[in-house]
Amino acid sequence: MDEGVARVRDALQSGRLAAALRVQSTALRAVGEFMHEEGFVQLMPVVVSPLTDPLCHSVYEAKVSYAGQELELTKSMIMHKQIAVSSPHLPKIYIVSPNVRLEKEHLRESGRHLIEFSQVDIEVRGAGKGEFMGLMERLLRSVIAEVKREREADLGLLGRRLEVPEAPFPRFESSEARKRHGEGFEAVLSETVPTPFWVMDHKREFYDREDPERKGYYHNYDLFYPEGFGEALSGGERDWEYEVLKRKIAERGQREESFAPYMEMARKGWLVPSAGGGFGVERLVRYLTGIKRIGDVTPFAKIPGERFTL
Ligand code: ASN
């Protein structure tokens, strides 16, 4: 028998995976209810498109051709989000979006990478980072409270103790954290800070807002889980002006044509300021359940570099 088949069957039979999936169901319901109460509109995911996130790290290409057109599998819906909130009728949106990122093999042992995962991707027209971060703190607190309430038995079975963290969460500037803890500062902080926390200012993709007066400073943020669980969410305020986007694309050695429809909208002045971010569902479930390996919270996990059976 194929080893992969046996592994999936064992995981399904053990009961732990089902407990994690019940936690996931509750978490997703809590996310949906929270977003609904906050007035967000849910969009359905884009799976293939000529336009997707360039990402700030290198992955293998995931392309399909259809009727003579080259399309890419979605890495994130960032640009679709910006385009959607350019409508004054859709100021607050979210999507539970499948993301395909064909990560390099060296990430096999990271415990937190999958080559396909689900991202809750959120965008708010006209928001600043403080507003968005506050929203995410309330969201995480309400998800944890709901999971504790509804899945007490499952958390017990998994031996997991969870506390609803106090808000606001601590904030660290990446430049200071790097000076203090070196290049691995994110891992150090995630191991040592006892609550979820933010790291501000990452040199990242062209769409995250760079301070116009302070070149090289980005108005973006990552949320981290404690206990070594690592990154939870990444996001930022956005740039929207054509000349700024054009310069930043060039600085990254990327080609404007790769983002043609988005850049056309920017050139016409149709994009608007916004802020947003997205968190990985499987990573959230890892943290909620205390299960360290991401392959253990989902039945058909695609770990980078592994051979896939199902
Ligand atoms: N979801 C992220 C954001 O909104 C983008 C990403 O996943 N790369 O900034």
Side-chain angles (χ1 to χ4, degrees):
M1 185 164 61
D2 189 310
E3 213 183 285
V5 175
R7 206 175 330 126
V8 171
R9 179 170 153 91
D10 286 352
L12 288 168
Q13 297 294 317
S14 76
R16 282 177 66 83
L17 174 59
L21 293 173
R22 283 192 294 269
V23 167
Q24 176 172 280
S25 294
T26 297
L28 285 172
R29 179 181 59 69
V31 168
E33 281 172 10
F34 180 91
M35 299 312 274
H36 184 78
E37 276 159 28
E38 292 283 335
F40 280 77
V41 168
Q42 182 173 13
L43 270 53
M44 290 296 116
V46 168
V47 176
V48 287
S49 170
L51 183 68
T52 196
D53 192 335
L55 298 180
C56 63
H57 67 284
S58 138
V59 296
Y60 296 116
E61 297 275 7
K63 289 200 168 153
V64 286
S65 31
Y66 176 72
Q69 195 184 3
E70 283 277 288
L71 304 173
E72 278 194 77
L73 301 186
T74 293
K75 294 183 185 125
S76 93
M77 279 182 58
I78 174 62
M79 284 173 269
H80 292 85
K81 291 196 302 179
Q82 271 190 278
I83 291 168
V85 298
S86 74
S87 160
H89 307 295
L90 290 172
K92 293 167 144 195
I93 58 152
Y94 80 103
I95 312 116
V96 184
S97 164
N99 289 182
V100 175
R101 301 180 182 176
L102 303 183
E103 305 286 359
K104 302 282 165 77
E105 293 83 344
H106 71 274
L107 290 171
R108 183 171 183 161
E109 301 297 338
S110 79
R112 58 195 177 89
H113 286 88
L114 294 170
I115 66 149
E116 63 170 8
F117 66 96
S118 296
Q119 170 161 217
V120 178
D121 223 346
I122 307 159
E123 198 72 19
V124 183
R125 180 184 169 107
K129 59 186 174 185
E131 179 184 344
F132 189 80
M133 290 161 72
L135 181 81
M136 292 300 100
E137 292 179 353
R138 282 188 285 124
L139 172 62
L140 184 62
R141 281 166 51 87
S142 80
V143 168
I144 293 175
E146 253 327 84
V147 165
K148 274 175 70 90
R149 191 187 64 76
E150 193 175 70
R151 296 301 176 193
E152 201 187 344
D154 289 315
L155 294 178
L157 186 142
L158 296 166
R160 180 61 166 161
R161 279 178 62 94
L162 266 183
E163 296 302 331
V164 178
E166 297 276 322
F169 303 163
R171 293 182 186 188
F172 301 91
E173 291 291 327
S174 67
S175 53
E176 282 159 32
R178 187 175 283 109
K179 255 186 246 151
R180 208 154 161 205
H181 304 290
E183 272 315 309
F185 68 93
E186 295 180 344
V188 174
L189 292 175
S190 181
E191 290 288 350
T192 53
V193 179
T195 69
F197 62 90
W198 296 98
V199 178
M200 317 292 297
D201 174 27
H202 305 267
K203 316 283 165 276
R204 228 166 24 206
E205 291 88 342
F206 68 79
Y207 48 75
D208 278 358
R209 182 154 168 75
E210 188 176 7
D211 193 308
E213 255 102 66
R214 206 171 143 198
K215 198 166 173 339
Y217 187 88
Y218 284 78
H219 292 283
N220 57 16
Y221 35 78
D222 283 359
L223 178 65
F224 285 81
Y225 298 120
E227 302 170 66
F229 280 97
E231 189 192 312
L233 169 147
S234 74
E237 293 180 6
R238 314 302 181 188
D239 271 313
W240 69 96
E241 292 157 306
Y242 177 73
E243 290 302 332
V244 174
L245 291 168
K246 187 182 164 70
R247 168 180 58 78
K248 290 167 77 190
I249 288 171
E251 282 170 0
R252 285 159 179 75
Q254 293 162 345
R255 290 172 341 126
E256 196 180 324
E257 302 85 82
S258 312
F259 315 104
Y262 170 88
M263 290 303 281
E264 189 182 330
M265 294 191 76
R267 190 153 25 86
K268 295 205 159 103
W270 291 350
L271 297 182
V272 299
S274 65
F279 60 89
V281 173
E282 296 83 353
R283 288 182 177 185
L284 171 65
V285 176
R286 268 174 89 227
Y287 175 64
L288 293 172
T289 58
I291 294 174
K292 286 275 169 182
R293 290 192 318 185
I294 203 159
D296 294 339
V297 300
T298 174
F300 310 117
K302 309 288 184 307
I303 308 288
E306 285 196 353
R307 194 178 150 273
F308 309 130
T309 311
L310 284 159

